[in-house]
Amino acid sequence: MLASIKTNSLTNEGQKLGMMYFRVAVILFGAQLVMGLIAAIQFLMPGFLFEIFDFSVARMVHINALVVWMLYAMIGSTYLMLTDETEHEGVGIALGKLGFWILTAAVTVVVLVYIFIQVGAGTEATIWFINEGREYIEAPRWADIGIVVVVLIFYWNVFATYLAGKQTGIMTVMVANLLALAGLYIAGMFFTDNISMDQFWWWWVIHLWVEATWEVFVGTLAAYALIKLIGAKREIVEMWLWIEVLMLFGSGILGLGHHYFWIGTPEYWWEIGALFSALEPVPLIAMFVHVLYDWGKEQGIANGKGEEGNVIKNGPAMAWIVTNAFGNFLGAGIWGFFHTLPQVNIYTHGTQFTAAHGHLSFFGAYATILIGMIYYGIQRAYGVERMKSTFKSKMGIFMITFGVMGMTIALTIAGYEQVLVERADLGATWNAFFTAQDLAWYTQAQLWRAIMGVVTFVGFIYLVWDLLTIGKAAKETQEA
Ligand code: HEM
Ligand code: HEM
Ligand SMILES: [Fe+2]
């Protein structure tokens, strides 16, 4: 079905490959949401699909699909912009395509195993063939190795093209950052049976991804997209990109400490984690201010001259990228800062508050801009000059954003109740854990999360419908 997103107008092989990655990303995004809905229903009706498709399995597939679809969309975006930035044909794209098929076949097998086999005994065989039991990146070891091979091919495509072509600031940051991003995956691959040690290394992947390398990655996407969509000046976006690299790598790496508070690591992590993670929102705020400031300034200058200014060349892509600026700031910056000091985290750790932050940050910082890039890919695939938002684009972005915001608020309320009742009042005992979950503040919040999840899902249907039709419609308008 998604094949109806035509790539005929593309002459560039790298961009065609990018579109292939995008299609799979959208399918996995859909799978993620279905799994989230199942898990949300299980919060309300614990017997739902009990021993057929347990909460633990639905939750695992939900968050692994999330990580994988985002990686697909990131790889897709990189292939999409490669030739534009380097002004050089992608090197070795045929091998890249082979890599795509290997990766997609592996992901399919892994997902089928997750759904049909689900769990295994606590043995080496399970680690090799079923799952590794590491939250967010649970691929079994055979798939881990496959992923590393495919990522090496991808990295070679990018690096060789970069060396052969023009070396813009955006591409330099991207090449260096991708190396770190891919390298960190290795930290999550080995196994130790000491749970503290295991968690210590596991956070290297998940925290250093989302709070350092992924943030810088979407910085490069935003820089590229702003140039393409509204004609932003390269010097300005690149300057901010470098500042972001400097600040995020600084605060993000030591900010890792905010995950070391309660896992048995030495206490000096309290101070390190508190100070540096609290600094993390600074670059996010800077980026946010910068996007709005630049845009306002440029429009003001143009309007002063009585001109239209830089018309937006892709309405839905721009809308999603602006949502990214707000979403990143709110989800990572505000919701992250809320619980990052150890004095606060001792109460909020592992409550629904964490889930609220997880939803808004992953959505705001990553889902948004990646969806924007998919829209931009479609514009390129159909070779249209301008792509305006349709009714479906607007319904898609509105319902998805409203739904995720709604879920976040519901979970924040549930988390607040857990902090007050379970942690502060009843002293975090086993009984307190269950007592807190029976109170109305909690159960009603879970109901609202499920309702808002359905809103999100309906928005997703609009989104897919739009992705399938917008390019063709824009092309017809242009030809008329
Ligand atoms: C886009 C960037 C970010 C994403 C995608 C993200 C995502 C997440 C997720 C999914 C978790 C839950 C992990 C688990 O399952 O245990 C988490 C935990 C946490 N995040 Fe973030 N985060 C981001 C940025 C930040 C920032 C900037 C801060 C601080 C200012 C922060 C503070 C925290 C803290 C303190 C926890 C631990 C919560 C607990 O103890 O239960 N995050 N984050
Ligand atoms: C149909 C909409 C969705 C529903 C109903 C849903 C539901 C859920 C449920 C029930 C969990 C398990 C929470 C727990 O263990 O307490 C969960 C976890 C999670 N979901 Fe969703 N979700 C949805 C959409 C999304 C989206 C759009 C994103 C991000 C782009 C996302 C990211 C996450 C993350 C990061 C976690 C792990 C959070 C943590 O443990 O801290 N979900 N979701
Ligand atoms: Fe973190």
Side-chain angles (χ1 to χ4, degrees), residues 28 70 120 133 150 157 334 368 370 412 425 430 462 474:
L28 286 169
M70 292 193 166
V150 173
N157 286 155
I334 302 287
T368 47
L370 293 170
T412 305
D425 200 20
W430 178 252
Y462 271 110

Side-chain angles (χ1 to χ4, degrees), residues 426-437:
L426 300 179
T429 60
W430 178 252
N431 277 338
F433 177 68
F434 290 103
T435 306
Q437 293 191 34

Side-chain angles (χ1 to χ4, degrees), residues 14-15 18 22 76-82 84 224 373 376-377 380:
Q15 291 181 338
F22 283 159
S77 307
T78 311
Y79 279 123
L80 184 72
M81 62 192 272
L82 192 57
D84 279 356
Y224 167 79
M373 289 305 288
Y376 182 62
R380 297 296 290 264

Side-chain angles (χ1 to χ4, degrees), residues 164-178:
K166 202 170 132 192
Q167 284 137 21
T168 62
I170 294 181
M171 277 314 287
T172 306
V173 173
M174 175 162 266
V175 162
N177 184 55
L178 278 179

Side-chain angles (χ1 to χ4, degrees), residues 257 260-262 265-275 340 342 346:
Y260 289 166
F261 296 156
W262 329 114
T265 47
E267 279 179 18
Y268 51 72
W269 283 109
W270 292 2
E271 281 78 31
I272 298 175
L275 177 64
T340 209
I346 195 168

